[in-house]
Amino acid sequence: MSTRTESEPNHGRRFVLAPNIAPDWRQTMLIFAGISTVCLGIGVVCAWFGLWPILPFAGIEVTALGWALYKSARRSLDREVIHVVDNAVVVEKGCGRVEERFEMDRTWTDVQLRRRSRRWDETQLLLRSRDRSLVIGAFLDADERRSLERALRACIGPMARWGDARPVTATESNVPERSWTPGLTANVGEKSG
């Protein structure tokens, strides 16, 4: 998986999520041409010597390989772009182009990392706003989801940046040095009255 985080000029953040699939389209076509040439060449030689039933199976094999390489190359174009700007969180999903666009109110959006109930150690990263829930980063592994969750929590969520005009960076921590203990007040030693 490839994640790129950029600061936008209007004090926003942009997260670009993409699967990490190494070969591009040209390399995929070269791999397909090389394997197909060898496979069909062996099939033609066998057919030349009278073993013609091998040729249809070689054709089926090349067709299956072509389909698998096409699906793999097509998946490498998958993108999820998360824009965090002003009071909006915009998520764009698509394969080579924007196919789906979701917009949520930044102050009402919460980032959640949930453990899936039927999968072994599988997590799911969600953006929840009011009554809507959106799964993001489905192609990320568990460590990458945790890292993205921390970066998103730093700039999204209930009151995450309330009153802060500075752009938030992924390394910046919004956690105070001292933690608040439930049940205690700031005026512990004072008398009420």
Side-chain angles (χ1 to χ4, degrees), residues 71-179:
K71 292 301 264 184
S72 175
R74 182 94 171 128
R75 188 169 179 271
S76 71
L77 298 175
D78 286 350
R79 296 286 182 277
E80 291 182 8
V81 181
I82 304 165
H83 300 277
V84 181
V85 182
D86 296 332
N87 198 28
V89 176
V90 179
V91 179
E92 298 173 338
K93 293 184 174 190
C95 183
R97 61 182 172 83
V98 177
E99 295 171 354
E100 296 176 295
R101 180 183 165 94
F102 305 93
E103 190 165 337
M104 300 176 181
D105 187 7
R106 182 175 179 179
T107 54
W108 292 103
T109 302
D110 187 26
V111 181
Q112 295 181 350
L113 187 64
R114 285 195 313 194
R115 184 174 297 271
R116 296 184 67 184
S117 60
R118 297 186 180 179
R119 300 281 178 121
W120 184 269
D121 199 32
E122 183 74 23
T123 58
Q124 191 175 44
L125 186 58
L126 298 167
L127 289 179
R128 296 182 60 116
S129 181
R130 300 176 195 231
D131 60 344
R132 281 183 29 189
S133 179
L134 177 65
V135 176
I136 57 171
F139 45 77
L140 303 177
D141 66 16
D143 292 333
E144 292 167 336
R145 278 192 205 105
R146 277 191 292 275
S147 174
L148 180 61
E149 178 209 15
R150 283 191 300 270
L152 287 173
R153 277 190 188 275
C155 60
I156 295 177
M159 310 306 273
R161 288 178 26 111
W162 188 70
D164 190 2
R166 297 177 295 121
V168 176
T169 62
T171 58
E172 197 173 303
S173 175
N174 291 339
V175 179
E177 289 181 14
R178 301 168 81 191
S179 63

Side-chain angles (χ1 to χ4, degrees), residues 17-37:
L17 311 176
N20 189 13
I21 299 176
D24 62 3
W25 184 249
R26 182 178 174 277
Q27 291 171 335
T28 302
M29 291 307 294
L30 288 173
I31 292 168
F32 178 68
I35 293 174
S36 296
T37 301

